[in-house]
Amino acid sequence: MAEVKLHGTWPSPFSYRVIWALKLKGIPYEYVEEDLSNKSPLLLHYNPVHKKIPVLVHGGKPICESMIILEYIDETWPEKPLLPSDPFERATARFWIKFIEDKGPAVFMIFRAKSDEEQENAKKQSLEMLRTVEEWGFRGGDGRERKFFGGDEIGMTDLAFGWIAHWIGVIEEVVNVKLLDANEFPKVYAWTERFKDAAVIRDNLPDRNLMAAAFRRRREQLLQST
């Protein structure tokens, strides 16, 4: 098999999307940690357009953007598929992936906000996103509730949403806001617990304390740059 390398950075949820997919598929790979304050010549070579992680390099060819990488992985190694085979179910999965790609950044805007007004607006958008997922995200085509977005097993949609299960708590702690309340969003909360309880996820999560410390440092830098 052609060599597989992943360029990422350890606190990034987008790097972990790819790590989880590779682990679920059982694909051996080499991980290359990038310092985003001093980007390596290789990262700039492989992703000259956006100059961002993650970048998957397969046989010397780079693939950029986390969800595009996941689709590439699923198509290149079709065993243990991450997307459903049924066209309707596959379209539904892509709908929710698009949803979290569009609406999810509001949570990170809470972290980046430099004023109370910005933070409150981002919080409002984040809660609306969670309400939508709570009401509609876990319903199958037959109307029954599901353990995961696609059914009984973790799939690509779960990987797209996966940062909610671990990163959102760190953002809540660092910024001192509450978003994912178990009473207000019981379905989403239960999903986060099931997701983190899966061995392939549980064994491949960044240390929460180290994340909180890194996020605090970054938060202070953002506020000082006002």
Side-chain angles (χ1 to χ4, degrees), residues 171-188:
I171 292 173
E172 288 177 329
E173 178 183 334
V174 170
V175 186
N176 193 29
V177 300
K178 188 62 182 175
L179 297 171
L180 186 54
D181 184 275
N183 293 318
E184 188 174 0
F185 306 111
K187 295 175 188 175
V188 178

Side-chain angles (χ1 to χ4, degrees), residues 192-208:
T192 66
E193 294 299 298
R194 287 192 294 270
F195 183 77
K196 289 187 293 184
D197 194 49
V200 72
I201 306 300
R202 184 180 64 242
D203 296 342
N204 294 283
L205 286 172
D207 181 272
R208 183 188 169 104

Side-chain angles (χ1 to χ4, degrees), residues 81-181:
L82 299 174
L83 282 172
S85 57
D86 178 76
F88 174 78
E89 294 290 346
R90 193 161 60 247
T92 301
R94 287 181 169 136
F95 171 87
W96 284 110
I97 290 168
K98 179 69 163 56
F99 177 86
I100 195 60
E101 291 290 87
D102 289 345
K103 304 296 184 180
V107 175
F108 295 96
M109 286 306 301
I110 295 174
F111 174 76
R112 292 180 167 276
K114 296 180 180 180
S115 69
D116 291 343
E117 183 181 358
E118 287 178 340
Q119 189 175 105
E120 191 58 34
N121 185 49
K123 180 181 177 181
K124 181 180 178 181
Q125 293 179 46
S126 299
L127 291 172
E128 183 60 33
M129 177 269 290
L130 289 170
R131 289 188 193 99
T132 302
V133 178
E134 177 73 18
E135 183 173 2
W136 301 103
F138 303 102
R139 293 188 187 183
D142 57 4
R144 296 179 183 177
E145 296 292 335
R146 295 175 165 181
K147 288 174 58 178
F148 298 102
F149 281 91
D152 292 332
E153 304 290 338
I154 289 174
M156 193 177 294
T157 311
D158 300 283
L159 302 186
F161 277 81
W163 59 267
I164 289 177
H166 196 59
W167 278 258
I168 204 169
V170 173
I171 292 173
E172 288 177 329
E173 178 183 334
V174 170
V175 186
N176 193 29
V177 300
K178 188 62 182 175
L179 297 171
L180 186 54
D181 184 275

Side-chain angles (χ1 to χ4, degrees), residues 48-67:
V49 176
H50 296 301
K51 303 176 177 64
K52 295 192 302 185
I53 55 90
V55 177
L56 186 78
V57 183
H58 180 211
K61 298 177 180 178
I63 305 95
C64 306
E65 299 293 327
S66 62
M67 293 314 304

Side-chain angles (χ1 to χ4, degrees), residues 7-8 32-48 51-53 55:
H7 291 253
V32 180
E33 178 70 16
E34 291 284 350
D35 178 0
L36 298 186
S37 66
N38 183 26
K39 298 174 183 178
S40 72
L42 269 180
L43 176 62
L44 299 177
H45 169 72
Y46 286 135
N47 191 358
K51 303 176 177 64
K52 295 192 302 185
I53 55 90
V55 177

